[in-house]
Amino acid sequence: MHIDRIASAWLIRRFIDPEARFKFVAARAIEAAEGELRFDMFQAEFTHEGDKCSSRSCSIVSRARIRRSAPFAEIIHDVDLKDSKFGREEAIGIRTLIDGIACDDIG
């Protein structure tokens, strides 16, 4: 799990469905069960569109009509895609934090 999945889940719970439940799986093609929607993965209903990551793309932000998401979405984009498109200074610290959380080398 990385920044875009975390941000997408937060956006969904905060703005779309506060009762949403999540099942995080490997980032490979997986069939959605009845009533499930996939996000930030191959062939998902909500995923990257063009140069936009899931949490700031038309997939979630636009479809949910979330208005004041620009700074949040820009930070997530810069961390997720590592392209510094928006030059958000906050992205450096958040990337370090997320890399620490997502670290597989804990032991």
Side-chain angles (χ1 to χ4, degrees):
M1 223 168 67
H2 207 261
I3 188 73
D4 200 16
R5 286 189 180 190
I6 294 168
S8 295
W10 181 83
L11 283 168
I12 291 165
R13 290 286 302 265
R14 176 75 168 86
F15 295 102
I16 299 170
D17 181 0
E19 301 299 318
R21 297 283 182 229
F22 301 96
K23 175 173 53 175
F24 293 99
V25 298
R28 56 180 160 69
I30 189 167
E31 293 295 320
E34 187 175 331
E36 291 181 339
L37 295 173
R38 299 163 298 172
F39 63 91
D40 195 38
M41 62 187 304
F42 182 69
Q43 296 181 330
E45 290 80 12
F46 299 97
T47 193
H48 289 224
E49 293 179 6
D51 73 339
K52 298 176 182 175
C53 59
S54 305
S55 58
R56 72 170 283 270
S57 71
C58 296
S59 293
I60 296 177
V61 171
S62 294
R63 290 184 194 178
R65 296 183 182 100
I66 299 169
R67 298 204 193 320
R68 295 166 288 165
S69 69
F72 173 83
E74 291 173 359
I75 293 165
I76 301 306
H77 175 99
D78 281 358
V79 172
D80 191 44
L81 299 180
K82 300 176 182 76
D83 63 1
S84 300
K85 177 178 180 176
F86 297 102
R88 300 298 304 212
E89 293 179 12
E90 305 94 325
I92 297 167
I94 293 173
R95 178 178 297 126
T96 302
L97 176 68
I98 294 298
D99 287 347
I101 291 170
C103 179
D104 290 332
D105 190 27
I106 298 176

